[in-house]
Amino acid sequence: MQTVLGGLFEKLLADPEFGPKFVKSDITIKFNISDPNAELWVTPGDGTTGEVIWGSNGNKATVEMTLSGDTCHKFWLKQIAMPIALAKGLIKAKGPMPKILKLLPLLKPAYEAYPEWAKSYGLPV
């Protein structure tokens, strides 16, 4: 989970289009993931480069998302859309969702990269 999902977010934050826009948004996202259990934070970091952090820390989440590892995998494969996952309760979210929904179009590089990324780690695509 840390290698695949953490690596994906690190790649996304390094993207010249997404990274600076995410940092500028000043949004801290906390993902509570089950099966396997993990706590993942994606933050604006020092204000110049975003940061991926695993586990509890002193950050305060702007948005908190709770989902399973399978739902996360399906989301990045574009097999399930965020609004549908929210409506079905597959993803539970706390915080100002309009901010997150505005970031969704910027995720295009991750959507494009994820199938090969997942395949390289032996995940079903």
Side-chain angles (χ1 to χ4, degrees):
M1 171 77 70
Q2 286 184 326
T3 302
V4 176
L5 192 56
L8 178 69
F9 277 111
E10 287 169 3
K11 181 179 178 93
L12 190 58
L13 290 171
D15 180 83
E17 185 176 334
F18 180 83
K21 288 181 181 179
F22 178 79
V23 169
K24 188 177 178 182
S25 75
D26 199 32
I27 294 173
T28 296
I29 307 168
K30 177 184 178 188
F31 294 93
N32 297 307
I33 303 169
S34 60
D35 197 23
N37 293 337
E39 184 177 318
L40 168 67
W41 295 76
V42 182
T43 77
D46 63 5
T48 59
T49 305
E51 185 176 21
V52 175
I53 303 168
W54 290 94
S56 298
N57 57 68
N59 287 327
K60 181 175 178 179
T62 310
V63 175
E64 190 170 335
M65 317 238 346
T66 302
L67 67 161
S68 72
D70 283 344
T71 298
C72 191
H73 182 62
K74 288 177 183 176
F75 172 77
W76 289 112
L77 288 174
K78 295 197 286 185
Q79 294 174 349
I80 187 163
M82 177 72 76
I84 293 169
L86 289 167
K88 290 184 173 185
L90 297 172
I91 298 176
K92 294 180 177 84
K94 292 182 195 174
M97 284 310 294
K99 280 188 170 187
I100 286 295
L101 294 176
K102 284 183 184 178
L103 289 175
L104 287 178
L106 297 177
L107 298 178
K108 186 177 180 185
Y111 283 133
E112 291 172 356
Y114 187 74
E116 285 301 315
W117 187 263
K119 197 183 298 182
S120 74
Y121 289 100
L123 296 173
V125 180

